[in-house]
Amino acid sequence: MRPFHPFLLLALTAAVAAGAGCATGAREEAQDPAAVILDARWEASLAAFAKADRERAPQPDGVLFVGSSSIRLWDKLEQQFDMLPVVIKRGFGGSRMEDCAAYVDRLVLPYQPKLVLVYAGENDLAEGRTPQQVFDSFRRFAARVHEALPQTRIAYISIKPSPSRQWMAAGVRTANALIRSHAERSDRVQYIDVHTPMLDEQGHPRAELFRDDALHLNDEGYALWKSVILSRISEYAASARRP
């Protein structure tokens, strides 16, 4: 048998290596569960938002509420804040601050809001992410909003002290403190503290504010949130009503 020419041998070796690399890359891409699960998990909610917008396009320059189930389950939120110009609710249950940052282009930017209120971060901590990671996700969220909409204000609703998640109370306090400190240094970000008024005199979560699952808010809990939120954005509400 005639030996391979050296250059032919090199070419064949490179071709085999390239093919293996492509196959490996394809396997890695196909087995990237984070991207696949992330897209599939929220696609139905995001598609439903887009469908609602096509059927009745919200006016720009309004107030947008985004975040997890605490926003999604807020019954008649739009009517409760009807003193504001245009109120839009876009909560998707189970979502994390990480998801709000990942989908900000679909979740926030189409509405061109003047004010975005976001409640997220609790589920991140419950799934094992650190307070620093929650803060980093919030910063990415805010940076993207302000890159596209420089005049838009962002209000972060603090992570609540859920009785069923008291095991992560220290992480909740740390994440809230990181975002609060960041907000205090920004003229376009504010921090709304619902955490403190949801504690009793002993520093324990007030059980009367929660449903039987000790996780989601009941009507009394939402009434408290409404009062606290309005007290913090009252200046915006007043200015928005001026002709």
Side-chain angles (χ1 to χ4, degrees):
M1 178 182 294
R2 296 176 61 187
F4 281 112
H5 189 281
F7 291 108
L8 179 59
L9 183 59
L10 286 172
L12 287 171
T13 302
V16 170
C22 291
T24 301
R27 285 196 301 272
E28 288 176 350
E29 182 177 357
Q31 294 176 353
D32 181 7
V36 175
I37 293 174
L38 191 64
D39 288 342
R41 189 177 184 186
W42 311 123
E43 188 56 41
S45 295
L46 294 170
F49 297 156
K51 181 176 183 294
D53 295 341
R54 289 192 298 271
E55 294 173 353
R56 185 177 181 180
Q59 294 297 311
D61 297 332
V63 178
L64 176 66
F65 285 78
V66 301
S68 60
S69 56
S70 292
I71 300 300
R72 182 179 65 84
L73 296 174
W74 196 332
D75 190 36
K76 297 181 180 179
L77 181 151
E78 298 91 338
Q79 290 76 23
Q80 291 191 33
F81 288 88
D82 61 1
M83 69 292 296
L84 300 176
V86 179
V87 179
I88 307 163
K89 181 175 77 171
R90 290 295 180 262
F92 49 126
S95 60
R96 304 158 297 185
M97 191 67 246
E98 176 184 21
D99 302 311
C100 293
Y103 291 110
V104 67
D105 283 31
R106 297 172 65 183
L107 189 63
V108 175
L109 303 193
Y111 303 102
Q112 301 181 49
K114 285 293 186 182
L115 174 64
V116 181
L117 293 106
V118 55
Y119 180 81
E122 183 176 355
N123 290 328
D124 301 63
L125 296 174
E127 293 182 13
R129 300 183 81 227
T130 67
Q132 183 65 47
Q133 287 174 313
V134 173
F135 174 51
D136 290 343
S137 292
F138 174 74
R139 285 197 302 178
R140 287 196 303 274
F141 174 87
R144 176 57 185 147
V145 170
H146 288 145
E147 177 186 23
L149 305 170
Q151 302 305 314
T152 296
R153 288 173 52 194
I154 298 171
Y156 183 80
I157 302 171
S158 68
I159 302 174
K160 59 183 169 60
S162 301
S164 63
R165 289 175 168 174
Q166 275 298 89
W167 56 271
M168 63 184 205
V172 167
R173 290 193 297 269
T174 301
N176 283 340
L178 287 170
I179 296 175
R180 181 174 198 159
S181 177
H182 173 73
E184 289 172 349
R185 299 191 301 271
S186 172
D187 58 359
R188 293 183 294 179
V189 176
Q190 68 181 114
Y191 175 86
I192 299 180
D193 180 16
V194 297
H195 184 277
T196 302
M198 296 183 74
L199 300 174
D200 62 21
E201 294 180 355
Q202 289 72 43
H204 302 137
R206 294 169 55 190
E208 72 273 14
L209 302 175
F210 294 84
R211 301 184 184 186
D212 291 341
D213 62 6
L215 175 62
H216 296 103
L217 299 175
N218 58 23
D219 289 345
E220 187 174 352
Y222 279 121
L224 184 148
W225 274 32
K226 177 185 176 181
S227 175
V228 173
I229 289 170
L230 281 178
S231 71
R232 291 302 311 276
I233 63 171
S234 57
E235 180 181 346
Y236 171 84
S239 64
R241 281 300 186 188
R242 296 192 193 108

